[in-house]
Each structure stands twice: as structure tokens, then as C-alpha cells.
């Protein structure tokens, strides 16, 4: 039986995302994104679920950095879920009693305007996750240490799971916000899901040297093969000031001829390319290819070259 891990505690959006894939399978909560990733990397878990991108706040640095360094891990699935928040409190606490609220920094950024409008001057207490703030209130309710705040901004299911009252629903500043989560595993034979025709490939690219045109040269590997990029973000490489790597998502699967050629091109012009997985898209988008050769033409060209190498006439 596979062992699952998620960025906890119980009641996080990470758990909700994971449950859409694995159902009620036993899973262990870890206190941070880094701890969840390391659980998979060390073999303490087989699959881990962490957030990687939010439609309002952008990429999740802990996940992007965790996938760029250390022993390689690969994405085996992605999940996109709508993000909605409630303001929760212990039973008997009303909206007028709230002087401090707690939540994760990404969540706080998505509810600031609502808080300013409805609770002007309210203090903010950072939490490691949205569910952690709800759990702290639940622990206080059960006779534990004082939480240090009266309100928790969390997911509706976290409030319900921890026995809290919901004082306000739908407090996010932007309707339709979504967060993308990834399920991670150690690489190995049979790990990469089979192509579906509507897939995504994730990479981390380290440029060979700092010079004019180095990034353009890397991006040309996609452009000349008609491959659409769905995300590109720069992150510090960690080895020197001003040195960056690039976290990239593109349309297509590693088994696609055009994607394979692009990876070979990147390998030639980059210091290092880390393959982070090919997996079915879950964002409702469709694979976009640019003008130029079709996939079948890429495959035919490769077959032609293989025949030449085998001694056939041109």
C-alpha cells in the first residue's frame, strides 16, 4: 500500500487536493512544504501533496526551490481546486470580539481587503498553514495553550473538522481564485504517467553562464519546435548572488517527439536540466502547438534519421 503525505495539519487545502486523487487512503500530515517533500525524498512516504501555484499569489517558493535542489523528485499528478475562505472562531465568539486573526501568509494576502472593510485595525498572526490557525483555536477550546488570536482564516472544511463556528463565508477578495497542487514521487521505471494528448511537462533549467542571450537561447528550444510554455519563473540558484534557475512548465509529454527534441536542445545549451515530470493537465486548458511541423512530422524525421544511421539510402 502506498504511503501518502501532505502539507498539514489536517484540514489544509493540500489534504483536500490529495483526497480528490487518493480518496480516504491513510495519509500523514507534515508541518511544512519542506518536510513533506523530504518525507518523499527520504522514503518515509511514497507520494506527497504540496501546493505549487496560486492564481493570485503566483508560485509557492518552498515547492519550487524544493524541486530544484536535492535528490530529484517528479510530479505524477496535478490537482487544481477553487480556494474559498471563511472566518472561523471558537463557539461563543462573535465578529465584534475579533482583534487578531491568524492564517498562512498566502491566504492573508487574499483576504486583506475584506478584513480592512469588516474588521479595520485587526491584527495579523502568521501561521504555517490555514488549517494550523484553526487547529490552534480548537486546541485552546480543548483546554490547551491560548492561541493568541480570536479568528482563523481557513477553509470551510477545516472549520467544520475542528468544531469552530463560521462567522463569515466567502471572504476572499477575488472570486474564482484557484490553487494548483502537485503529487510528488521518487523517479523510477513506470513512475511517469502515460501520455494522454493533453499533458504538461515540468523542468528546472540552469543556464550555463551569465551572458547576453543565454535565456533566449534556452527558450528558443521551445519556440523552434512550436511548444507552448504555460509557466516560467526565475528562482535564485542558491550558489551565488545574481545566479538564477528557471522553473518551466510546457505543453506536451516527454514521450512526444517535439518535447524530446526540445529537452535535448536544452541539455546542449544549458549547464543542467532537471526533469520534474510529465503528467495529465488538470487546469482545464488544452495543449497548444505553434506553427511549423506537426508531431507526426517530427516522428517521421526521427525515423528517417534512424534509417540513415542503420545504412539505408536517403
Amino acid at each position: 500500500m502506498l504511503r501518502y503525505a501532505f502539507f498539514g495539519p489536517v484540514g489544509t487545502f493540500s489534504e483536500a487536493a490529495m483526497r480528490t486523487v487518493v480518496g480516504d487512503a491513510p495519509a500523514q500530515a507534515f508541518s511544512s512544504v519542506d518536510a513533506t517533500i523530504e518525507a518523499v525524498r527520504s522514503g518515509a512516504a511514497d507520494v506527497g501533496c504540496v501546493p505549487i501555484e496560486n492564481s493570485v499569489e503566483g508560485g509557492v517558493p518552498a515547492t519550487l526551490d524544493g524541486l530544484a535542489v536535492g535528490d530529484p523528485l517528479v510530479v505524477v499528478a496535478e490537482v487544481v481546486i477553487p480556494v474559498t475562505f471563511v472566518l472561523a472562531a471558537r463557539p461563543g465568539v462573535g465578529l465584534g470580539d475579533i482583534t487578531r486573526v491568524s492564517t498562512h501568509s498566502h491566504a492573508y494576502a487574499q483576504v486583506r481587503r475584506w478584513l480592512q472593510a469588516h474588521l479595520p485595525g485587526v491584527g495579523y498572526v502568521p501561521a504555517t498553514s490555514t488549517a494550523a490557525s484553526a487547529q490552534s483555536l480548537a486546541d485552546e477550546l480543548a483546554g490547551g495553550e491560548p492561541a493568541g488570536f480570536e479568528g482563523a482564516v481557513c477553509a470551510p472544511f477545516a472549520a467544520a473538522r475542528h468544531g469552530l463556528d463560521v462567522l463569515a463565508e466567502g471572504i476572499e477578495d477575488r472570486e474564482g481564485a484557484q490553487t494548483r497542487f502537485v503529487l510528488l514521487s521518487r523517479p523510477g521505471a513506470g513512475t511517469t504517467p502515460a501520455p494522454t494528448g493533453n499533458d504538461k511537462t515540468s523542468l528546472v533549467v540552469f543556464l550555463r553562464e551569465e551572458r547576453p542571450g543565454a535565456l533566449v537561447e534556452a527558450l528558443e528550444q521551445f519556440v523552434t519546435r512550436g511548444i507552448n510554455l504555460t509557466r516560467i519563473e526565475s528562482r535564485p540558484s542558491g550558489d551565488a548572488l545574481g545566479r538564477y534557475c528557471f522553473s518551466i512548465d510546457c505543453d506536451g509529454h516527454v514521450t512526444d517527439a517535439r518535447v524530446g527534441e526540445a529537452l535535448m536542445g536544452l541539455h546542449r545549451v544549458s549547464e543542467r536540466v532537471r526533469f520534474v515530470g510529465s503528467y495529465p493537465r488538470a487546469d482545464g486548458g488544452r495543449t497548444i502547438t505553434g506553427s511549423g511541423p506537426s508531431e507526426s512530422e517530427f516522428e517521421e524525421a526521427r525515423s528517417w534519421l534512424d534509417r540513415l544511421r542503420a545504412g539505408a539510402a536517403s
Side-chain angles (χ1 to χ4, degrees):
M1 179 182 295
L2 291 176
R3 298 163 298 165
Y4 295 98
F6 63 92
F7 169 36
V10 168
T12 57
F13 287 103
S14 293
E15 183 189 13
M18 184 196 68
R19 294 297 178 193
T20 67
V21 178
V22 307
D24 295 328
Q28 183 177 356
F30 287 82
S31 61
S32 67
V33 167
D34 289 337
T36 308
I37 291 175
E38 287 306 315
V40 179
R41 188 168 275 143
S42 69
D46 299 305
V47 179
C49 183
V50 291
I52 194 169
E53 183 183 10
N54 177 264
S55 61
V56 176
E57 289 296 291
V60 178
T63 300
L64 298 178
D65 295 344
L67 293 175
V69 299
D71 293 338
L73 295 176
V74 291
V75 176
V76 295
E78 70 172 6
V79 178
V80 177
I81 63 172
V83 175
T84 185
F85 298 105
V86 301
L87 178 63
R90 300 185 311 276
V93 174
L95 195 63
D97 301 318
I98 305 295
T99 63
R100 294 175 301 276
V101 299
S102 179
T103 192
H104 189 271
S105 58
H106 273 215
Y108 181 67
Q110 296 178 61
V111 300
R112 279 181 302 205
R113 290 202 300 270
W114 188 94
L115 291 173
Q116 289 168 1
H118 296 86
L119 294 171
V122 68
Y124 168 53
V125 179
T128 56
S129 69
T130 54
S133 58
Q135 184 172 4
S136 293
L137 289 181
D139 291 343
E140 180 179 347
L141 184 62
E145 292 292 325
F149 52 88
E150 301 84 20
V153 174
C154 60
F157 49 83
R161 183 167 292 189
H162 290 293
L164 304 177
D165 285 350
V166 173
L167 304 183
E169 298 178 328
I171 66 173
E172 59 275 6
D173 296 329
R174 296 189 187 181
E175 293 184 6
Q178 295 178 310
T179 297
R180 175 181 164 226
F181 297 82
V182 289
L183 273 65
L184 305 172
S185 179
R186 295 179 299 281
T191 301
T192 299
T196 65
N198 198 28
D199 303 291
K200 185 182 293 183
T201 292
S202 295
L203 311 162
V204 181
V205 177
F206 297 79
L207 300 183
R208 182 167 291 156
E209 57 189 357
E210 186 178 348
R211 60 176 174 80
L215 178 57
V216 171
E217 187 176 39
L219 296 180
E220 282 178 344
Q221 308 307 315
F222 299 99
V223 175
T224 58
R225 294 167 179 89
I227 298 173
N228 180 54
L229 299 187
T230 59
R231 183 185 61 85
I232 178 169
E233 295 185 48
S234 63
R235 294 295 305 160
S237 63
D239 54 6
L241 189 65
R243 291 270 293 162
Y244 293 87
C245 61
F246 295 86
S247 177
I248 295 173
D249 292 339
C250 69
D251 282 343
H253 194 277
V254 67
T255 60
D256 295 344
R258 71 173 69 234
V259 174
E261 286 197 14
L263 294 185
M264 289 190 291
L266 283 172
H267 184 76
R268 287 193 299 270
V269 304
S270 305
E271 177 183 291
R272 181 159 52 99
V273 179
R274 172 168 284 198
F275 174 71
V276 190
S278 290
Y279 45 92
R281 291 182 62 154
D283 58 6
R286 61 181 181 86
T287 296
I288 299 173
T289 55
S291 59
S294 65
E295 181 68 15
S296 61
E297 289 170 323
F298 274 100
E299 293 172 350
E300 197 283 326
R302 174 56 62 87
S303 297
W304 173 78
L305 181 59
D306 289 341
R307 292 195 299 272
L308 291 184
R309 288 171 171 171
S314 61

